[in-house]
Amino acid sequence: MGNLNALRYHGYEFDESVKENIRMQWHLTVECDQRCKHCYMFVDEKYKSQKNNQLTTEQAFKLIDDFYLLLKKLKVNGNIFLTGGDPILSDNFWDVLEYARKYSKILTVDTIMGNSYHIDALVAKKLRNFGITTYQISLDGLKETHDDIRKSGSFDDALRALKCLHDAGIDTAVMATVHKDNCEEIIDLYRYLSKLDYIGAFAFDRMMPIGNAKTVLGDTLLDADKFKDMLFKIFSYEVLESEHKVLSYKSCVSLWKPLFYELGLTNPLDKSIKRYYGTCFAGGGSFAVLADGAILACRRLDIQAGKYPEERLEDIFIKAPLFVELRNPTEEASCKCLLQYNCNGCPAMKYAINGTLNGKDPDCWRVH
């Protein structure tokens, strides 16, 4: 559980030492083989802009240059996570992997989050040779449920690709997007995956009611007590039954911290210190770049903080009001329970439901 208590301090100034890597989640393209019911991407003018104004190869290379310069300025290392759509469908995909190698001492492109359809033994080997260490594919339930959400046949093809990637020496990760219609099946999915020796990690996020998740699926807000029960069942299985322990604890999005505190497994920082740590990394430890250069603190936090290349990446990251606000949560705007300073809920969920970054996480079961 060390990752739950990582001392990621907020409220820092940029002349201080930032200890953790900065992750850029880069949505190279909106091209995709699937049309998932909950997809955040297929929305009105924003989707059209990403489809019609994808960064050119030259602009993509310049973005890598500028990210490298930002890391040098802040004296930290960085990672680029490539995603989409399906990033392999981007005309720039292999060029980006090749170009980023020049900065490999402090900047790595090591994680792909994509689909399975273009993965075979040769592609998996090529990815490994380019330094890709992790490939993440989504599964949103057992076969029938997943195929209904994503695409017919996609469950079986995901497992095929994950085995192929594993055989090539790439760590495999499965991500589930949890909503009220598949919540009760996630534990069964995890039981199934934990028995497969080629699955390296399993994590899940709550569905955010934006994009298709709002317009197609409608009300996606989970019942807080039901979500807590799901967390407890999965954790109990991981600890007491599973021999192949691959559960990843994504702290703010999945609300593990409130559960672990109530189970007596963690002890929050003394509130008298009044300094945030271990809360959401959005706008500090991570940010997102969309295919057209729009900069977001988090892909699920539907607020544009800036636009590249019209604005310098360094200026957006350091000076954008949204990023500054996320790095410096105020007492008045925060959750008010005992875990305020090392949890504070998910900003994206707060904004999606309440239209503000303030207040309690709508899915949290704790009384405030």
Side-chain angles (χ1 to χ4, degrees):
M1 297 178 199
N3 59 332
L4 290 170
N5 297 302
L7 293 180
R8 174 60 177 174
Y9 284 99
H10 288 241
Y12 54 78
E13 298 297 332
F14 281 100
D15 57 354
E16 296 180 16
S17 176
V18 182
K19 298 299 184 184
E20 298 217 8
N21 288 4
I22 294 176
R23 183 184 75 188
M24 182 172 82
Q25 185 184 93
W26 188 355
H27 297 253
L28 271 181
T29 181
V30 293
E31 297 300 325
C32 189
D33 296 306
Q34 300 185 127
R35 289 294 184 269
C36 304
K37 290 183 177 179
H38 64 268
C39 184
Y40 310 135
M41 190 171 60
F42 298 106
V43 182
D44 51 66
E45 297 304 318
K46 294 180 182 179
Y47 172 70
K48 292 180 182 178
S49 176
Q50 293 179 69
K51 185 173 180 62
N52 298 328
N53 302 292
Q54 180 176 308
L55 295 179
T56 66
T57 301
E58 181 180 356
Q59 290 170 332
F61 289 171
K62 186 63 167 57
L63 177 61
I64 296 171
D65 293 338
D66 287 1
F67 187 37
Y68 169 78
L69 293 175
L70 174 65
L71 297 172
K72 290 280 286 184
K73 179 181 179 66
L74 300 181
K75 300 179 180 178
V76 296
N77 292 342
N79 307 89
I80 296 176
F81 287 19
L82 294 180
T83 186
D86 188 348
I88 290 182
L89 295 177
S90 169
D91 294 338
N92 297 332
F93 179 73
W94 297 106
D95 293 330
V96 163
L97 292 184
E98 178 64 40
Y99 188 80
R101 285 177 159 185
K102 64 187 290 187
Y103 299 127
S104 60
K105 289 186 178 180
I106 72 168
L107 171 60
T108 59
V109 183
D110 51 19
T111 300
I112 307 294
M113 297 179 287
N115 295 336
S116 59
Y117 307 109
H118 305 282
I119 300 297
D120 57 25
L122 290 177
V123 171
K125 183 177 180 180
K126 187 175 181 180
L127 288 169
R128 189 67 190 90
N129 290 339
F130 268 104
I132 300 303
T133 59
T134 304
Y135 199 107
Q136 176 182 294
I137 296 176
S138 292
L139 290 173
D140 292 328
L142 297 175
K143 183 175 179 177
E144 182 178 351
T145 298
H146 171 84
D147 284 3
D148 179 65
I149 293 171
R150 300 257 176 186
K151 181 179 179 178
S152 179
S154 59
F155 185 89
D156 288 341
D157 199 68
L159 295 180
R160 175 202 61 78
L162 289 163
K163 178 66 164 59
C164 188
L165 292 159
H166 171 80
D167 291 345
I170 296 175
D171 292 335
T172 60
V174 171
M175 169 62 69
T177 300
V178 182
H179 53 87
K180 65 178 183 180
D181 294 333
N182 70 349
C183 180
E184 295 183 358
E185 196 169 299
I186 299 301
I187 177 61
D188 294 326
L189 173 65
Y190 182 51
R191 286 177 183 273
Y192 176 76
L193 294 175
S194 68
K195 293 179 171 63
L196 303 177
D197 61 6
Y198 55 86
I199 302 299
F202 173 77
F204 50 86
D205 284 340
R206 290 173 285 161
M207 182 184 293
M208 301 292 160
I210 61 175
N212 280 4
K214 183 176 183 178
T215 59
V216 176
L217 290 182
D219 181 15
T220 60
L221 188 62
L222 289 161
D223 177 83
D225 290 331
K226 182 180 290 187
F227 185 60
K228 177 185 178 182
D229 184 61
M230 186 198 83
L231 291 176
F232 179 74
K233 287 179 178 177
I234 291 177
F235 181 65
S236 298
Y237 172 75
E238 168 86 352
V239 173
L240 300 176
E241 298 182 51
S242 177
E243 296 182 2
H244 182 44
K245 300 185 185 303
V246 294
L247 189 60
S248 296
Y249 302 98
K250 299 190 70 173
S251 56
C252 76
V253 180
S254 295
L255 295 177
W256 284 111
K257 288 184 178 181
L259 179 71
F260 287 164
Y261 171 71
E262 292 178 3
L263 293 175
L265 299 175
T266 59
N267 185 30
L269 188 71
D270 185 343
K271 286 187 69 172
S272 65
I273 298 176
K274 293 188 176 182
R275 194 168 195 195
Y276 292 81
Y277 74 107
T279 53
C280 179
F281 290 180
S286 65
F287 65 99
V289 182
L290 303 189
D292 62 353
I295 307 293
L296 284 65
C298 167
R299 181 62 186 90
R300 293 173 175 83
L301 180 53
D302 198 19
I303 307 174
Q304 182 172 310
K307 186 71 178 296
Y308 186 86
E310 290 87 340
E311 301 172 74
R312 296 173 65 236
L313 181 60
E314 178 182 315
D315 290 339
I316 298 170
F317 187 84
I318 294 178
K319 300 176 183 178
L322 174 64
F323 282 34
V324 173
E325 181 179 0
L326 288 167
R327 290 193 296 263
N328 298 273
T330 64
E331 178 83 20
E332 294 75 19
S334 302
C335 292
K336 295 297 188 289
C337 86
L338 180 65
L339 305 178
Q340 172 183 343
Y341 291 102
N342 75 325
C343 176
N344 205 24
C346 175
M349 183 61 80
K350 294 179 184 181
Y351 185 76
I353 298 298
N354 301 324
T356 176
L357 301 176
N358 302 341
K360 75 179 289 290
D361 188 308
D363 278 338
C364 185
W365 57 86
R366 290 181 59 78
V367 177
H368 289 240

